[in-house]
Amino acid sequence: MTGQNQESEEAFETESQNAGTESHDIGEDRIDPDEAELANAAKFGNPKEVLDHIAITSNVEVQKTADEEFVIEFELKNVGHCTFAVHKGEEFTLPNEVFVDSTKIEWTAPTADGEYIFPDMRVNEAGDLFMIDWAYNGYCFAIYGESPQNTSDRDMAGKVALEIIRNLGGAA
């Protein structure tokens, strides 16, 4: 990245690394230890842990877990309710939604072991939903939510995706 974007990303990194140790979970006592372990698996980029320690996210809650998939819901500052989902396969789709390729923004993100992934963000036909998705090691990942009025606020969801991707491929 260049100049201002790199400085912004470094500030985001510092903010997430220096986040307080208090939990943002509202349903923590309802999470089965096996579900928490899956949601914090290194092969998935430790998403629960990442979301818990990013200052711009709150109310992080594991909603569903299975051997090959899980769903975490969270609130993202200036965006609102978002969902992070993982499932076995190479493509992520939302039923009854068509995402427009002309709205696609793609970037490059390195994993913990130096592999490069190419996540992209798209908006649906109605313009009211965004989705960021990527594939890694036979799994498809996505962050999606209502598209905010100020489209630059969606970039915060992209920064969350970058943090999760940065943890992929770390020691399992």
Side-chain angles (χ1 to χ4, degrees), residues 25-28 30-32 34-40 47-49 51-52 59-66 69-74 84:
D25 294 342
I26 57 174
E28 193 168 56
R30 294 188 311 232
I31 297 173
D32 180 288
D34 292 337
E35 291 176 338
E37 184 176 318
L38 179 64
N40 278 323
K48 173 86 169 62
E49 183 178 318
L51 290 166
D52 277 341
N59 299 329
V60 178
E61 187 174 350
V62 176
Q63 293 294 312
K64 173 186 174 183
T65 60
E69 66 180 339
F70 66 90
V71 174
I72 299 175
E73 294 185 356
F74 63 98
F84 172 77

Side-chain angles (χ1 to χ4, degrees), residues 3 31 58 76 92 145 165:
I31 297 173
S58 61
L76 182 58
F92 192 90
I165 292 168

Side-chain angles (χ1 to χ4, degrees), residues 1-17 107-110 158-159 162-163 166:
M1 283 191 186
T2 61
Q4 188 176 11
N5 287 345
Q6 188 171 3
E7 290 172 14
S8 175
E9 187 173 313
E10 289 170 359
F12 179 80
E13 248 182 272
T14 303
E15 184 176 62
S16 65
Q17 290 171 355
W107 65 96
T108 304
K159 292 188 180 295
L162 290 174
E163 284 295 309
R166 194 170 313 189

Side-chain angles (χ1 to χ4, degrees), residues 106-172:
E106 188 175 87
W107 65 96
T108 304
T111 64
D113 59 5
E115 185 176 341
Y116 286 92
I117 294 180
F118 305 96
D120 60 62
M121 182 185 316
R122 292 172 287 157
V123 177
N124 67 350
E125 288 178 319
D128 61 351
L129 190 68
F130 75 91
M131 180 173 71
I132 301 167
D133 63 331
W134 66 95
Y136 179 76
N137 282 349
Y139 288 91
C140 189
F141 299 77
I143 295 175
Y144 58 91
E146 287 185 29
S147 192
Q149 278 299 97
N150 185 354
T151 58
S152 66
D153 287 337
R154 283 194 312 243
D155 293 345
M156 287 195 274
K159 292 188 180 295
V160 170
L162 290 174
E163 284 295 309
I164 293 170
I165 292 168
R166 194 170 313 189
N167 282 291
L168 288 171

